[in-house]
Amino acid sequence: MTKILIVLTGGTIGSEIKDNTVNVTQNIYLEKILNSKFKQINFKIIKPLNILSENILPTDWNKVIKSIKKNWDDMFDGIIITYGTDTLSYAASAFSQFFYNFNKPVVMISSDKPLKQKNASGKYNIIAAINFINKEKLQGTFVAYKNPNLCFVSFFLGSRVKQISSFNNKLNSILGDDFCKFKTNKFIYTKNNFNPSISNFRKKKFTKFKEKFFFTNKILCIKTYPGINYKSFNLDKYKPKAILHSLYHSGTASTREQNNYSLINFIKKCKSKKIDFYISPICKRKYIYQSLKTLLKLNVKILDSMSFESSYAKLSLAYGSFSNKKEIEKFLNRNNFFEKNKF
């Protein structure tokens, strides 16, 4: 008999609507779905968190993992983690890194509406996730999500999902395609130049969860935009373990030297305070812009060929788990779960 560990964390999928307000509840609707449709499958349900995902901190991911470790049994065939849509891309990237050497499928599911609501996508997502664990058995972290107006559930690699659109509520990968689809009770794999083949999912020898793997809250993310004033960041008051600075799509950021708007001066200040400075996302190109060349001369660290969310997740886990700089760099440079994309 298939045995699945279900981890509840809150989010829209664990909420209900009262007085036109969505908030977390006890989530009895999920149990009703499981009991009515999957009587031949053994579920164990745990709830380490019950929170809207916009309120989650990276250290909350540690609580989820601690609970999974406590309840894990090698007889489980996989894990399903229910999660809110707002920070799903960050959590999926984070769990892709933590479970990189895990030998069972981990499927994250969300919902566009609380489960009690008619046609909530979470109802379809949970059914697809259970079937994926029961039938496909691929190790790794995946996200199962039914996008609006589609008749199938898409599965994405957890390390490649991007934030759900505020305008059409669609989830997608950074490369624009899903990994597979669950349609008419079958899994159809998307073949392209970017998705790994099934043969790439080699059976991993899993012995036990890493005991000293932790996420930290002490990574400062800075999103670039025209007119960003770096004086707003008081490094004398708060010193992060590292800074992750985003780039525009060409792998650029402003190098204009003008008082408080100078990224160059800000990087120099970070160096003087011994704060590691990273830039992302960036893809390897034949030609680069002068602004990027200027940044590279300052010896900033590049997290290339991966999403901003994966860059943040890797930094949070690396700086939360290691104190040795060589260990940190080794972890950051490794392609743990297809987060590094070949173009």
Side-chain angles (χ1 to χ4, degrees):
M1 178 182 284
T2 300
K3 188 176 180 182
I4 298 175
L5 179 65
I6 296 186
V7 185
L8 308 182
T9 68
T12 303
I13 194 170
S15 296
E16 63 181 12
I17 301 174
K18 284 185 178 180
D19 300 323
N20 294 320
T21 303
V22 179
N23 204 356
V24 289
T25 185
Q26 295 305 309
N27 205 358
I28 59 172
Y29 308 106
L30 177 61
E31 293 186 46
K32 286 182 179 179
I33 294 172
L34 299 177
N35 293 332
S36 64
K37 293 183 178 294
F38 296 98
K39 294 179 180 178
Q40 301 303 313
I41 294 179
N42 188 1
F43 299 102
K44 181 174 183 179
I45 300 175
I46 59 175
K47 188 188 289 186
L49 297 174
N50 196 28
I51 188 173
L52 293 172
S53 74
E54 61 267 31
N55 296 321
I56 277 183
L57 302 173
T59 45
D60 289 320
W61 298 332
N62 295 333
K63 295 176 185 176
V64 174
I65 290 164
K66 183 179 180 180
S67 184
I68 290 173
K69 288 179 182 178
K70 183 179 178 181
N71 290 277
W72 181 251
D73 178 340
D74 286 336
M75 295 304 292
F76 281 118
D77 294 280
I79 301 171
I80 294 174
I81 302 175
T82 68
Y83 204 88
T85 52
D86 280 354
T87 58
L88 176 63
S89 59
Y90 286 94
S93 297
F95 291 129
S96 293
Q97 295 306 312
F98 183 87
F99 291 107
Y100 79 92
N101 70 332
F102 193 47
N103 64 343
K104 300 287 177 71
V106 178
V107 185
M108 299 192 69
I109 61 169
S110 295
S111 185
D112 59 346
K113 295 186 283 287
L115 289 180
K116 190 179 180 181
Q117 301 298 114
K118 186 179 179 181
N119 293 325
S121 65
K123 298 173 185 176
Y124 304 95
N125 299 336
I126 184 66
I127 291 170
I130 292 168
N131 275 279
F132 187 83
I133 291 173
N134 192 31
K135 296 176 181 178
E136 302 304 295
K137 305 183 189 302
L138 291 182
Q139 70 252 16
T141 301
F142 304 87
V143 176
Y145 194 81
K146 181 183 180 296
N147 277 314
N149 304 318
L150 296 179
C151 60
F152 55 83
V153 175
S154 292
F155 279 73
F156 300 92
L157 297 176
S159 59
R160 294 185 182 180
V161 291
K162 60 183 183 180
Q163 191 157 9
I164 291 175
S165 170
S166 302
F167 302 100
N168 60 19
N169 290 319
K170 288 186 177 179
L171 177 69
N172 215 331
S173 76
I174 56 173
L175 298 174
D177 248 335
D178 54 20
F179 176 65
C180 69
K181 298 174 178 65
F182 182 65
K183 186 176 182 180
T184 59
N185 214 32
K186 293 180 182 178
F187 286 92
I188 305 163
Y189 287 86
T190 305
K191 294 181 180 180
N192 56 34
N193 294 328
F194 306 121
N195 279 340
S197 64
I198 302 301
S199 61
N200 289 127
F201 292 83
R202 297 183 297 273
K203 193 70 177 175
K204 296 175 183 177
K205 292 182 179 178
F206 176 73
T207 52
K208 61 180 181 178
F209 292 106
K210 292 185 178 294
E211 294 299 324
K212 296 182 179 180
F213 245 24
F214 302 102
F215 293 97
T216 178
N217 297 334
K218 295 183 178 180
I219 305 297
L220 174 62
C221 288
I222 300 176
K223 289 289 187 91
T224 192
Y225 59 87
I228 183 170
N229 188 334
Y230 291 98
K231 193 178 180 180
S232 305
F233 303 98
N234 190 342
L235 301 180
D236 296 316
K237 208 167 188 180
Y238 169 72
K239 183 180 176 182
K241 288 189 174 184
I243 291 175
L244 175 62
H245 195 291
S246 76
L247 302 174
Y248 295 120
H249 85 98
S250 298
T252 62
S254 174
T255 52
R256 180 174 176 172
E257 295 203 51
Q258 185 176 338
N259 301 327
N260 302 326
Y261 303 101
S262 174
L263 175 57
I264 294 171
N265 290 340
F266 184 66
I267 291 172
K268 289 177 179 177
K269 185 176 181 180
C270 291
K271 280 194 168 186
S272 70
K273 293 186 174 297
K274 297 183 179 180
I275 301 171
D276 293 334
F277 198 96
Y278 294 84
I279 54 175
S280 174
I282 185 170
C283 301
K284 292 180 180 178
R285 301 171 184 264
K286 186 176 181 180
Y287 305 105
I288 64 172
Y289 284 80
Q290 180 61 47
S291 53
L292 177 58
K293 193 172 183 180
T294 301
L295 295 178
L296 295 178
K297 286 180 179 178
L298 296 170
N299 293 320
V300 296
K301 300 173 187 290
I302 297 175
L303 295 174
D304 65 279
S305 304
M306 71 180 87
S307 70
F308 188 82
E309 288 93 334
S310 277
S311 296
Y312 176 67
K314 291 189 87 165
L315 285 172
S316 179
L317 188 55
Y319 279 84
S321 305
F322 310 115
S323 55
N324 183 286
K325 289 296 176 72
K326 286 185 178 180
E327 287 184 295
I328 290 172
E329 292 304 310
K330 183 180 178 181
F331 181 81
L332 294 175
N333 290 329
R334 191 167 57 206
N335 192 9
N336 290 320
F337 186 63
F338 309 113
E339 67 275 7
K340 285 179 172 281
N341 301 284
K342 295 180 180 179
F343 301 96

